[in-house]
Amino acid sequence: MSNIHGIIGYTITPFGANGEGVDLPALGRSIDRLIAGGVHAIAPLGSTGEGAYLSDAEWDQVAEFSIRHVAKRVPTVVSVSDLTTAKAVRRARFAEAHGADVVMVLPASYWKLTEAEILAHYRAIGDSIGVPIMLYNNPATSGTDMSVELILRIVNGVENVTMVKESTGDIQRMHKLQLLGEGRVPFYNGCNPLALEAFAAGAKGWCTAAPNLIPQLNLDLYEATLAGDLGKARELFYRQLPLLDFILKGGLPATIKAGLRLTGLEVGDPRLPVFPLAEAGRTQLQALLNTLR
């Protein structure tokens, strides 16, 4: 069981001019910056990393480079989600072969999946690798909302599904996971505006793109909740909430890439059809960052 905890930082995928090709040196700089900022783990190729917008060759390139560049300084949690079970299995095996500590699986689909289909998808991935799987529930991006009961069926039925990342934004899901899972299933928060409540509910970690821009505030919030200082945690949370809301509502690839650019790291624009952050948004983001410096 790998000890994934604390602030789990999402990386972006930097592109070259016109969104063509992956800029690996810029990716390396962004990873170094996250690790220097103190994150407890690195999560490449998630929503922030535009994993869904990469060709298979690019996906492999980014996965291999990220794992090698992190070089076990912190654990890596590689998102391997894909539309078909076979492709998700291939990505999971690739990530494991290159040294990923954990793979994260979101049941991405075009057709609405039944519970039996979702369970079979996780089982097939679990059977094909030996590293732990973080089950990821995010109906806003996947179109599939897994109930707590289904999640626990998967955790109980697939040996290496040992962690749950909850991104519905409904704190009751975490309470229910804690109660029905009898405290045995570590859960992680994937919804930025829920960071305070999630830690208060016992979340082991917070998977977020925010440490690309405000690592210290993210870490301080985690430390305050670990220390049981709710007053301090609340104060820290409200300080960062306007930025957390902004990056989420503006779309993570666009806002995080704009924020990195504003803080001196050029990582290109998101890949079309996603537009870069408009000028009004950049001005607002700069103002938010200025208040948090």
Side-chain angles (χ1 to χ4, degrees):
M1 174 68 201
S2 63
N3 182 27
I4 303 293
H5 70 278
I7 303 298
I8 298 143
Y10 278 116
T11 51
I12 42 81
T13 298
F15 297 118
N18 305 321
E20 283 171 32
V22 175
D23 182 349
L24 294 177
L27 176 57
R29 286 192 287 276
S30 78
I31 289 171
D32 290 339
R33 212 162 105 154
L34 281 166
I35 293 175
V39 298
H40 301 98
I42 295 271
L45 294 160
S47 312
T48 308
E50 299 176 76
Y53 297 148
L54 303 178
S55 69
D56 282 344
E58 287 172 332
W59 189 94
D60 289 0
Q61 198 185 9
V62 171
E64 184 175 358
F65 176 87
S66 300
I67 297 163
R68 192 172 67 235
H69 195 83
V70 171
K72 300 286 180 192
R73 289 177 283 174
V74 295
T76 49
V77 181
V78 180
S79 297
V80 300
S81 315
D82 210 325
L83 280 174
T84 65
T85 300
K87 282 180 125 177
V89 163
R90 189 200 75 79
R91 285 183 170 182
R93 283 182 168 151
F94 184 95
E96 179 183 39
H98 287 86
D101 296 286
V102 175
V103 299
M104 182 156 63
V105 178
L106 176 79
S109 80
Y110 178 89
W111 294 109
K112 193 163 172 49
L113 300 175
T114 65
E115 295 202 343
E117 287 166 337
I118 294 167
L119 176 58
H121 184 67
Y122 277 98
R123 184 165 282 143
I125 298 167
D127 285 348
S128 71
I129 56 172
V131 292
I133 294 171
M134 182 183 282
L135 175 149
Y136 177 21
N137 190 39
N138 187 351
T141 56
S142 70
T144 301
D145 190 0
M146 293 181 273
S147 67
V148 172
E149 291 78 2
L150 172 60
I151 288 171
L152 291 172
R153 269 177 60 206
I154 296 169
V155 169
N156 293 326
V158 184
E159 196 182 343
N160 45 348
V161 175
T162 55
M163 298 167 255
V164 175
K165 178 183 164 197
E166 234 300 319
S167 295
T168 54
D170 175 6
I171 194 67
Q172 298 305 325
R173 302 293 186 97
M174 294 187 191
H175 296 330
K176 213 168 169 185
L177 269 170
Q178 182 73 6
L179 286 170
L180 296 182
E182 295 168 352
R184 289 175 297 119
V185 183
F187 58 89
Y188 299 78
N189 173 45
C191 177
N192 281 334
L194 217 61
L196 179 66
E197 296 94 320
F199 279 135
K204 269 199 75 174
W206 174 18
C207 304
T208 174
N212 283 288
L213 305 178
I214 50 164
Q216 199 57 53
L217 275 169
N218 304 151
L219 291 163
D220 290 349
L221 173 59
Y222 174 61
E223 298 296 340
T225 55
L226 273 189
D229 189 342
L230 186 59
K232 186 179 180 194
R234 202 183 285 132
E235 180 199 335
L236 286 160
F237 174 67
Y238 286 127
R239 272 194 68 201
Q240 57 192 290
L241 184 57
L243 182 74
L244 296 177
D245 271 336
F246 179 86
I247 61 177
L248 188 63
K249 292 197 173 88
L252 291 166
T255 54
I256 297 297
K257 284 185 165 181
L260 287 171
R261 183 175 286 156
L262 290 171
T263 54
L265 183 60
E266 179 51 57
V267 291
D269 288 332
R271 188 164 266 180
L272 293 171
V274 178
F275 280 177
L277 195 61
E279 194 182 348
R282 292 198 301 271
T283 307
Q284 201 181 340
L285 180 55
Q286 183 70 70
L288 284 167
L289 288 170
N290 290 345
T291 64
L292 297 177
R293 280 297 144 75

